Amino acid sequence: MSTVGYDIPATIGMPVAEVETPALILDLAAFNENLAIMREALARYGVRLRAHGKAHKCPEAAKRQLLTGGATGICCQKLSEAEAFANAGIDDILIANEVTQPAKIERLAALATRIRLGVCVDDKAAATRLSEAATRHGANIACYVEVNVGAGRCGIAAGTPAAELAAHIAELPGLSFEGLQAYHGPAQHIRGLAERETAIGGALDRVRETLAALGARCIPCPTVTGAGTGSFAYEAASGLYQEMQAGTYAFMDVDYGRIEPLAGLTPFRNSLFVLASIMSTAIPGQAVCDAGLKSLAVDSGLPSVFGRGDIVYTGASDEHGVIRDPDGTLKINDQVRLIPGHCDPTCNLYDHMVVVEGDRVVDIWTIDARGKSF
Amino acid sequence: MSTVGYDIPATIGMPVAEVETPALILDLAAFNENLAIMREALARYGVRLRAHGKAHKCPEAAKRQLLTGGATGICCQKLSEAEAFANAGIDDILIANEVTQPAKIERLAALATRIRLGVCVDDKAAATRLSEAATRHGANIACYVEVNVGAGRCGIAAGTPAAELAAHIAELPGLSFEGLQAYHGPAQHIRGLAERETAIGGALDRVRETLAALGARCIPCPTVTGAGTGSFAYEAASGLYQEMQAGTYAFMDVDYGRIEPLAGLTPFRNSLFVLASIMSTAIPGQAVCDAGLKSLAVDSGLPSVFGRGDIVYTGASDEHGVIRDPDGTLKINDQVRLIPGHCDPTCNLYDHMVVVEGDRVVDIWTIDARGKSF
């Protein structure tokens, strides 16, 4: 039997005031609104959504995106993450990343016999090893050539090198060339719209160059996939991309809250919070809450306190958050809702998402892919 | 059955080269050496060690500290963490932190009927609520008054306020006043020894002031507990502290590696690493590994690459680490050992610690308290 506060933070029907903290909570109404905003945007631009499961690692959240949010598939970053989503019944997954370790390639090929599975490739020898495993397993692995469209991380150079890799893949048994992975991560977080559009403009140029090189070789490119919450309107409007990979849109976080919203779209709302409790007010002018570095990812900055302009989360240690409270409004056991600095690695700290409507817990979703970084 | 690469990163006996990455690995020889260095230091100063379990959240690591490392008990930061260690058979635990939520106080009192359990207090009303729960459960809860000795986080003011709280606790049924929690967290990380000694000097002054206030009230103070890896020699030599709370010493990390080591002690060695694999070398002069923000806590800075002066980990995204490799030495599937920036929240990302001797996996330890921040 699960113990509340040890194994799980809440039970269904419980008032939010009784949830054991720190807990990851999802405001279901705001989440559903974000899904609706995205669904309408997809329809307007005529593009598909492959919702990024790395944002939440939670199959139930992914199912909502598929059933009511207009998504036609999901993507994730790691093989073990894909396995977790597949084990929960999701059957169309793109690993938007390279998979190269020999044991992982075996498992990837095995998974590809169960679901429609895609993976990214930026190296010829890696493609050959995928083909050998696919052949052994009697699988087909959908391969996307990852192109470096400006992120400078993984991805082969645009144009001829990418087209040559696509040609190599197209000739290999067990693999199909399904398109281009063209995601510009850093551009998502550029604050100003004009600068962001310029960065995405550079990505579009590299996609065009690669599509031309593919065309010159008569290699059809079924899908160009990429784009995130910060930029997807540009990729969607370009006519070059068929598939978006946004994930954060469903939740939002402090970092995405800092950027200028895409024009012509209803801004996404914060739906994801870390619920924390005050545990000390011993020092005047501050309160200390029970959510620190082990409950909140701070790589993109500290959390902010939702709905409170008068108090500021100013410092995190392992299990403490210091909140500046000049008026001394916070008392021991008061709850605060913290907007995480970065939603993806914050979700990865929790086994459960506590779903709330108003002041009531209405569901508990398991974060099955938490820790699945293999 | 556990699947390697999905549930667990390795099996015992496996060569390290075959471990599924990213994985948290522990060099057993270096870990044991660190335990021996600490054991000798404890004997020299005549103080006890309450090894800090928050560093690793791993009962097996704690048991080694207790059985061979000279520790006489452990501490941790959260109730659910204490429950995880208690469930693994550890029977003397101090929660070096305040516990104030009503449901948690009930569980804390219940746990105190099973093991010798301590907790920190910095508020009179909170002490009263602990007493009521202890009485209901027929438990004794060992209470330590947390004094703000300079960290400016939790902790009541030194001197009279702390002594008055101790007097309040001493009068309450079900509670015993066991001493002072006097930990100066920020001082641990001050780079220079002289500046660190000065900061700890301020903490010692506040402890002295509080002991004097207790003495004036004829309240015995069995234990002053506190001190971490960066400073413990000062607290131990002061004659004021009986108990050290170091944790990182067993592992070390980049942040603690930056500080000037305590004089007269053999420096602690890096025993804890994130094993990562190269997954892309598509961009000349760099390699991309499979360990990013979800595999490494970056709150105290990026990881460094163990034993390699020629390559530098320069950037982390969710599941990628970019490594500058000007000479192009890294190939796809090469492994690197990354020293985490901060060991505590890095351990909290993993369910297993892969214990290695040389190039061989010799044990797998479960990180039972991973995610136990309740």
Side-chain angles (χ1 to χ4, degrees):
Chain A
M1 203 191 73
S2 291
T3 306
V4 177
Y6 182 70
D7 303 300
I8 53 168
T11 50
I12 295 170
M14 180 182 269
V16 173
E18 290 177 14
V19 171
E20 291 271 350
T21 62
L24 188 70
I25 63 171
L26 181 73
D27 179 325
L28 189 60
F31 174 77
N32 284 335
E33 246 184 78
N34 292 339
L35 265 50
I37 294 167
M38 178 56 84
R39 194 179 55 228
E40 286 168 34
L42 297 170
R44 188 189 319 168
Y45 292 113
V47 292
R48 302 191 300 271
L49 172 66
R50 189 175 274 288
H52 218 315
K54 83 179 173 85
H56 49 64
K57 290 178 166 274
C58 169
E60 189 56 38
K63 289 175 189 174
R64 305 288 171 121
Q65 291 172 304
L66 289 163
L67 291 173
T68 71
T72 55
I74 71 159
C75 54
C76 58
Q77 290 290 80
K78 292 295 182 83
L79 172 62
S80 56
E81 226 176 3
E83 289 171 327
F85 282 113
N87 290 346
I90 294 172
D91 65 356
D92 186 342
I93 305 176
L94 166 60
I95 302 172
N97 203 355
E98 284 67 23
V99 174
T100 59
Q101 276 196 294
K104 286 190 172 64
I105 289 178
E106 286 302 311
R107 272 170 37 223
L108 185 138
L111 184 61
T113 64
R114 292 169 49 199
I115 65 165
R116 178 175 160 76
L117 182 65
V119 70
C120 292
V121 185
D122 71 359
D123 180 86
K124 277 192 182 177
T128 302
R129 288 190 292 270
L130 285 171
S131 166
E132 291 163 359
T135 305
R136 271 196 302 279
H137 286 264
N140 178 70
I141 301 174
C143 291
Y144 294 75
V145 169
E146 182 164 9
V147 180
N148 176 16
V149 293
R153 197 171 65 183
C154 300
I156 195 165
T160 300
E164 285 178 353
L165 177 55
H168 177 68
I169 290 166
E171 285 169 6
L172 289 172
L175 306 187
S176 55
F177 170 67
E178 292 289 340
L180 303 179
Q181 166 76 12
Y183 176 63
H184 194 324
Q188 305 305 314
H189 307 277
I190 296 173
R191 304 270 172 106
L193 269 185
E195 296 80 356
R196 210 179 317 145
E197 188 170 7
T198 301
I200 296 300
L204 299 180
D205 288 343
R206 296 185 196 193
V207 170
R208 267 189 214 97
E209 181 191 350
T210 308
L211 290 173
L214 289 168
R217 284 162 184 77
C218 300
I219 300 172
C221 180
T223 295
V224 178
T225 184
T229 296
S231 77
F232 73 95
Y234 301 127
E235 288 94 334
S238 72
L240 299 172
Y241 284 68
Q242 288 76 42
E243 197 174 81
M244 308 288 106
Q245 293 181 356
T248 304
Y249 77 95
F251 308 111
M252 297 301 283
D253 55 26
V254 172
D255 193 57
Y256 266 114
R258 286 197 190 100
I259 70 168
E260 198 179 341
L262 288 165
L265 278 176
T266 308
F268 298 110
R269 289 176 54 189
N270 287 110
S271 68
L272 187 84
F273 308 94
V274 170
L275 188 70
S277 298
I278 304 303
M279 41 179 277
S280 173
T281 56
I283 297 180
Q286 78 174 29
V288 181
C289 76
D290 58 359
L293 300 172
K294 290 178 181 167
S295 308
L296 288 153
V298 300
D299 58 272
S300 301
L302 294 175
S304 63
V305 186
F306 182 66
R308 295 289 299 257
D310 57 327
I311 57 177
V312 183
Y313 188 109
T314 57
S317 44
D318 277 347
E319 299 281 15
H320 299 83
V322 175
I323 296 176
R324 194 171 58 228
D325 177 22
D327 303 328
T329 61
L330 292 171
K331 308 297 171 208
I332 285 178
N333 292 336
D334 281 358
Q335 289 182 337
V336 288
R337 291 189 184 197
L338 303 172
I339 305 172
H342 187 182
C343 69
D344 313 48
T346 297
C347 288
N348 188 48
L349 297 169
Y350 291 88
D351 292 301
H352 299 91
M353 205 176 271
V354 178
V355 184
V356 305
E357 279 186 327
D359 291 328
R360 188 69 53 179
V361 174
V362 296
D363 213 343
I364 310 272
W365 295 350
T366 55
I367 304 181
D368 299 27
R370 196 276 321 150
K372 299 295 186 203
S373 285
F374 296 123
Chain B
M1 203 190 75
S2 292
T3 306
V4 176
Y6 182 69
D7 303 300
I8 53 169
T11 49
I12 295 169
M14 180 184 268
V16 173
E18 290 177 15
V19 171
E20 290 273 349
T21 62
L24 188 68
I25 61 172
L26 181 73
D27 179 325
L28 189 60
F31 174 77
N32 284 335
E33 245 184 79
N34 292 340
L35 265 50
I37 294 167
M38 178 58 82
R39 195 178 55 229
E40 286 169 33
L42 297 170
R44 188 190 319 168
Y45 292 113
V47 292
R48 304 191 299 272
L49 172 67
R50 190 174 274 289
H52 218 315
K54 83 179 174 84
H56 49 63
K57 289 176 166 275
C58 170
E60 188 57 38
K63 289 176 189 172
R64 306 289 171 122
Q65 292 173 302
L66 289 164
L67 291 173
T68 70
T72 55
I74 70 158
C75 53
C76 59
Q77 291 290 80
K78 293 294 183 84
L79 171 63
S80 58
E81 226 177 1
E83 290 171 327
F85 282 113
N87 290 346
I90 293 172
D91 65 356
D92 186 343
I93 304 176
L94 166 60
I95 301 172
N97 204 354
E98 284 67 24
V99 174
T100 60
Q101 277 197 293
K104 285 191 173 65
I105 288 178
E106 286 303 311
R107 272 169 39 224
L108 184 138
L111 184 60
T113 65
R114 291 169 49 199
I115 65 164
R116 180 176 157 75
L117 181 66
V119 70
C120 292
V121 184
D122 71 358
D123 180 84
K124 277 192 184 178
T128 303
R129 288 191 291 271
L130 285 172
S131 166
E132 290 163 358
T135 305
R136 271 195 302 281
H137 286 265
N140 178 71
I141 302 174
C143 290
Y144 295 74
V145 169
E146 181 164 9
V147 180
N148 176 16
V149 293
R153 198 172 64 183
C154 299
I156 196 165
T160 300
E164 285 178 353
L165 178 55
H168 177 69
I169 289 166
E171 285 169 7
L172 290 171
L175 306 186
S176 56
F177 170 67
E178 293 288 340
L180 303 179
Q181 166 75 12
Y183 176 64
H184 194 324
Q188 305 307 314
H189 307 276
I190 296 173
R191 304 274 170 103
L193 269 186
E195 295 81 356
R196 212 180 315 145
E197 189 170 7
T198 300
I200 295 300
L204 300 181
D205 288 343
R206 297 185 196 194
V207 170
R208 265 188 216 98
E209 182 190 349
T210 308
L211 290 174
L214 289 168
R217 284 163 183 76
C218 300
I219 301 172
C221 180
T223 296
V224 178
T225 182
T229 297
S231 77
F232 74 95
Y234 301 126
E235 288 94 335
S238 71
L240 299 171
Y241 285 67
Q242 288 76 42
E243 197 173 82
M244 308 288 105
Q245 292 181 358
T248 304
Y249 77 95
F251 308 111
M252 297 300 283
D253 55 27
V254 171
D255 193 56
Y256 266 114
R258 286 197 190 101
I259 69 168
E260 198 180 340
L262 288 165
L265 278 176
T266 308
F268 298 110
R269 290 175 54 189
N270 287 110
S271 68
L272 187 84
F273 308 95
V274 170
L275 187 71
S277 299
I278 303 304
M279 40 179 278
S280 173
T281 56
I283 297 180
Q286 78 175 29
V288 181
C289 75
D290 58 0
L293 299 172
K294 290 178 182 167
S295 307
L296 287 154
V298 301
D299 58 271
S300 301
L302 294 175
S304 64
V305 186
F306 182 66
R308 295 288 298 258
D310 56 328
I311 59 177
V312 183
Y313 188 108
T314 57
S317 44
D318 277 348
E319 299 281 16
H320 299 83
V322 175
I323 296 175
R324 194 170 58 228
D325 178 21
D327 302 328
T329 60
L330 292 171
K331 308 298 173 208
I332 286 177
N333 292 336
D334 280 358
Q335 290 181 337
V336 288
R337 291 189 184 198
L338 303 173
I339 304 171
H342 187 182
C343 69
D344 313 49
T346 298
C347 287
N348 188 48
L349 298 169
Y350 291 88
D351 292 301
H352 300 90
M353 204 177 271
V354 178
V355 184
V356 306
E357 279 186 325
D359 291 328
R360 188 68 54 177
V361 174
V362 296
D363 213 342
I364 311 272
W365 295 350
T366 55
I367 303 180
D368 298 27
R370 195 273 323 148
K372 299 294 185 202
S373 285
F374 297 123

